[in-house]
Structures are given as structure tokens and as C-alpha cells.
Amino acid sequence: MSSEEKKTKQLNFRDVSTCEATIQMLQKAATDGVETAFSRAADMKPCPIGADSACCKHCFMGPCRLVSKDPYSKVGVCGATIDTIQARNFARVVASGGSAHTDHGMGILDVFREVVKGNIQEFQIKDEQKLRDVASSIGIAVAGRSTKEIAVDLYNELEKTYTQVEGEIPFVKRVPPKTLELWRKHGVVPRGAMREIMEIMHRTHMGVDQDYENIVKQCSRTALADGWGGSMVATELSDILFGTPKPLVAGVNMGYLKEDHVNIIIHGHEPLLFEAMIASANDPANLEKAKAAGAKGIQLLGMCCSGAEVLGRHGVPHAGNFLSTEAVIATGAVDAMAVDVQCIMQALSSMSECYGTKFFTTNPRAKIEGAAHIEFNHHTPRESTEKIIAMALDRFKNRPAKIVIPQRRDLGVHGFSHEYVNYMLGGTFRGSYTPLNENIINGRIRGVAGVVGCNNPRVKQDYAHVELVKELIKNNVLVVQTGCSQIALAKAGLMKPDAAVLAGEGLQEVCETVGMPPVLSLGSCVDNSRILIACAEMVRVGGLGNSIADLPVAGAAPEYYSEKAICIGQYFVASGVYTVFGVTFPSVEGTKFHQLLFEGLEELGFGKWGFAKDPIEIAHMMIRHIDKKREALGIMGERERKLFSMEDRRA
Ligand code: SF4
Ligand code: MSK
């Protein structure tokens, strides 16, 4: 028996995941002698100095390692202090995470431009109302103008999000005036994402910016260029091109793989590949080919954020979140997995080889050594998706005899957007956040929490997401979700209206009246921008203060692994939101840098960071913050409680 087999046998998969389907497939993979991120994590001890961000390899006089226990006892060869080193490391994480979202947004912007010019026929402007709403939100005239005229202006304006070298990115026009005033005072309003990311890379080069406070300012400016820039462009243009999500019932989990169908999984982030794949999979000619191959049809499934994009928009089933991407291959039922960008483990390629799954990279920015590449060209999107379908059909015909599909299917309501929340609460003619604000003021809803982010094999899969959200709703905190976190809650059954029974009395009343779940699924990682817009709207409607920092809201990413998550955290903090992360935090407690992130930023009027590993502790940190904000707003005492009826809503 090899040492690898011994390790895998020693790992109790119930200790590393709460997802039944994933546990079943991890056990199968171990029996098959195949390793996964869970077994590799058990075998890879994290470097404690790196985990604290107390080392620097920004030049070749180093690498320099400082001592986390006594961080001011030593400096790097160049004299860099622990605060400079941590701030520079943090800044590069923000730049990397922010560049992922902004480059994703730029890919959508490219397609939007080509659609507007008439160079792409496959995609069209699907939501003209949203086009008009987005355009007018940034000052583009819409009255009496054609869709094409507005779209051309919108393209030209949104391109500035990336390329502008001076001024303010377009979507800052949506930021509450008090919040924007604070940003201007501290010089953190983004000019253009490319400039901010370039500047962060320059400033963190050896011998440039060596003042941690100044570096953190640039972290905020770069992160804001993601949240109110690249990510917001990605969300808004995806809605315009592919439709703004509206709640629908959709399924999550591996049980949606079908043994008698050709199963194709799309994994990654940008919605373009998936949208083209939906068209190919529904093409009668391909369905005929599938039948000829002996299949009853073609079953498409999503994973990670590619899946989250189409789960809410079209109701395509979602096979699982980040840490299930390897496990699903072990079913043997996946005929093809096609990936684009972000969160794609390199090991998926060899894993697919073990189970005979056809694995394809599709994006020229993201190839994997040894993996087949079928390039996706947005001018001719169906060319690549047709090839992928043909390869999947081929694999279906030659499937291995042993297929094991975990019989777990979880239905829930997905596809809440800022627009739908507006409508849901106020109705068609009075669409407004007023009822939400009123219910927060009267105490039925204590506050709003965004629980988002990834899985991380250093902590038990989905456990912190689910326990944190349960504790929040029990305490009357309405939860909004994106990314892999929402998939964890969908699997736990909390995306259903009847999950309101788990909520506190006030939140339960509101959910039952409106007919909504206590946990709202808002989409992919870039759709965290929907939460920013919702916060801005809560401020605009009134009664909860003048800036985002006044709102009784908080955010968390209890199982994050990604640099993108840190960037998201930083743009929420810079926007005024208290944001708590789990797993680990890249700083040494007690340093000036740590103090700035965890306290100092709030003293300046921004939000602040928090950290805890235990989900119940995270929940109560968030609740204490929400209560602090309620206290400051003078709405701490509950008002008279009465049923929130249709008459109340009309009144
Ligand atoms: Fe060491 Fe300074 Fe070079 Fe970093 S920049 S590796 S601290 S000498
Ligand atoms: S996919 S960034 S693991 S949420 Fe967006 Fe999931 Fe995190 Fe990737």
C-alpha cells in the first residue's frame, strides 16, 4: 500500500464535509485510489509564517521572514517593517482578486460592444428595461432614444470603468452622497480599474510605498474599482444580455446528474460559455444525436459561479460548490466538463482522466497543462459548444460500466435580483425598498447580512455557511447570498419559503407575508455588486442613516479560500460594511496594520474587518454590530408588532 493510500484511508470524510453527496463521492474516490483537495490538504501543512503574511518575496535580496510572535523584533533586508510587508502582501491579494472580477467584467463588456455593433448574432439585448434603468442611473439620457443609441452610450461610458486615467468610474454615481464624500476626503474614489491595479503593483514593488496606511488606501481604491466597477459592469451587462434573474424553483446537488442522459458540467465564472451551451444542448439536432447514441437527452449542470449565473437566470440545476468539483467527477456520470476561468483546480484534469470524463479548457486566458483545449470565441460561440457536445456524446457511448450518482436533490428558490427585491417588497407600481426599511425600523427585521464566498478544505465543507446563516435568521437577520455559500444553504434546504420556520418571529412574519425564504440567493461572486446596490437603495429610501456605514448590515465569508474574496471583503469594508472572515486572516494580531483593518478604518468612517473561526461566534459578532448601528439610529427598541398584511403593504 502506498503512503498516499494510507493517508486517504485515514481521512474520515465526515470530518471534512457536511455535504452528503460529496462525502459519498470522496469515499468512492478514496476506494478508487484517487486523491482530492481534501486528501492533499491533509498532506500539506500550511506555512505558519505565510499564513500570518509575515514574509516577503517582493525582491531577490530576500525572501525575508519576520517572526509572527515578536513581529517588531526584526525587519527585512531592505528595512521593511512587518506593517509594510503585510500591507504590501494584502495589496497584491486585492489587486489579483480585483483583476479577476474586472477582467471577467471586461469579457462581458467586449461581448456587449460586439452585440451592439451587430457583430454577434448569437447573443442579443434581452432586457431592454434594465438597459434603460442602468443607463439612466449613470446620467445617460433615455427618453425618446432607441435601444441602440442608449446601448452605444452605455458601452462608451462603462468602458471608462477600465480605461479611464483621471476622474471617477461611472457607477460611483450610484453611491450614497455621504459615502462618496468620505471616499473623496480620503482619496479612494477609483479612477479606472486598470490604473488602480497597475498602481498597486507599482506601489508594492520594493522601495516604493512603505507606509502601510497609504498602501491600505490604495487597497480600498482598487477594491472599490472591483465592487462598484468591474463586478458591477459584469452583473449589469449580463442581466441586459441574458436577462435579469427573477425567482424560480431550481435544483441543486449531484442527484440532478442523470444516468440515462449525456451529462455536461460547465464550471468557472463567465456566463458566455454556459449561455451558448444552453442553446446547443436544446438544439433539436443535438437531441436527435443524443437519442441516436442511446441517451434520453442532454443534461446540463453548473458548478461554482458559472452554475450560479444560470441557476438563477434559467433554472439550470447546480451540481455543487467549489469543493464538490472533484467529487462530482468520481460519479463517473459526467461525460464532459468544460471550464472557463477562476476556481478551476488543476487536479480536475487528471481526475477527469481517471474517470474517463472529457475535460476541456475553453478560455485562452486559462489553459491547463495536458488538458484538451476547445477555444470559445464569442463571435462564433456555438462552434465550441457543438464540439463539446460531440465529445460528450462520444464519451456517453463509451461510458465505464460503474456509475454511482448520489441520490440527493435539493429544490429551492433562486434568482433574486435587486430589481426583484424592489418589486417583491413594493409591488409593480410601488416598487421600493421602503417596506424593507420600515420592517428594519419597526424591528421585525433586525438587519441584513450578506453571507458569501467559497469553500476551503482547511475547514469542514459547508458547515460554517449553514450554521452561521441559521443563527442569523434565528435572530431575525435577513440573509442575502452569492457564490458557493448560497449553494451550501440550498443543499441545506434554506432557500425555500418554508425555511421561514427557522427564522425568528419578526423575520418569519415578513417572510410569510411576502412569501419569500429568509435566505435570498442573488447569484455569482460578481453579483455581490447587487448587495452594494441594495445597500445604496436602503440609504436612498431613508430612515436608516445617510451612508452605507450607518446601515444595520454586516457581511461574512466564513469558508473563503480565494484572493477574490479578500478583494470583495475590502470593497465592502471601504463601502462601510463590517465584514467578518473565517478560516484564517493574512495578518499578525497586534500589529499596526492589523489594528488599522480591524478598528482604524471604522474610526475613519469606513466599515471594518473581523475574524473568527466559529460560525456562531461570527453570527454574534455580526449581530452585535447590527445592534450597535440600530442603537446609533435610535431604533433599538422594538415598535408595536402587528401582522404585515397586504393592507399594511398597500397603505
Ligand atoms: Fe526582503 Fe525587502 Fe526584498 Fe521584501 S523587499 S524580500 S523585505 S529585502
Ligand atoms: S466560485 S470565488 S469558490 S465563491 Fe465564484 Fe465559489 Fe469562491 Fe470560486
Side-chain angles (χ1 to χ4, degrees), residues 321-322 343 452-456 465 484-485 525 557-562 565:
N321 50 11
F322 176 62
C343 303
V452 307
C454 330
N455 300 132
N456 185 320
H465 288 302
C484 291
S485 184
C525 293
E559 298 183 25
Y560 85 104
Y561 89 85
S562 156

Side-chain angles (χ1 to χ4, degrees), residues 55-66 75-81 85 88 204-207:
C55 57
C56 177
K57 55 182 177 67
H58 289 190
C59 91
F60 301 93
M61 295 188 281
C64 300
R65 297 187 307 172
L66 304 196
V75 292
V77 173
C78 66
T81 63
I85 287 172
R88 285 196 305 215
T204 53
H205 186 278
M206 187 271 154

Side-chain angles (χ1 to χ4, degrees), residues 19 21-22 248-258 263-270 274 278 299-326 328 331 334 337 342-343 405-415 453-455 461-462 481-492 495 521-525 527:
C19 170
T22 302
L248 43 76
V249 176
V252 167
N253 222 320
M254 293 186 205
Y256 288 97
L257 288 164
K258 290 182 182 156
N263 294 305
I264 302 176
I265 289 183
I266 307 294
H267 164 32
H269 277 78
E270 296 177 355
F274 218 141
I278 292 170
Q299 178 66 50
L300 280 186
L301 298 104
M303 292 200 92
C304 276
C305 281
S306 291
E309 289 273 349
V310 295
L311 175 72
R313 231 175 236 124
H314 308 301
V316 175
H318 197 289
N321 50 11
F322 176 62
L323 278 182
S324 301
T325 55
E326 288 180 297
V328 77
T331 60
V334 183
M337 178 184 272
Q342 301 167 28
C343 303
I405 299 177
Q407 293 305 307
R408 194 51 211 257
R409 296 179 199 94
D410 300 295
L411 281 174
V413 182
H414 297 271
C454 330
N455 300 132
Q461 182 188 10
D462 296 346
Q481 293 212 279
T482 62
C484 291
S485 184
Q486 82 194 334
I487 303 304
L489 270 297
K491 287 185 285 182
M495 297 292 183
S521 142
L522 294 187
S524 66
C525 293
D527 294 334

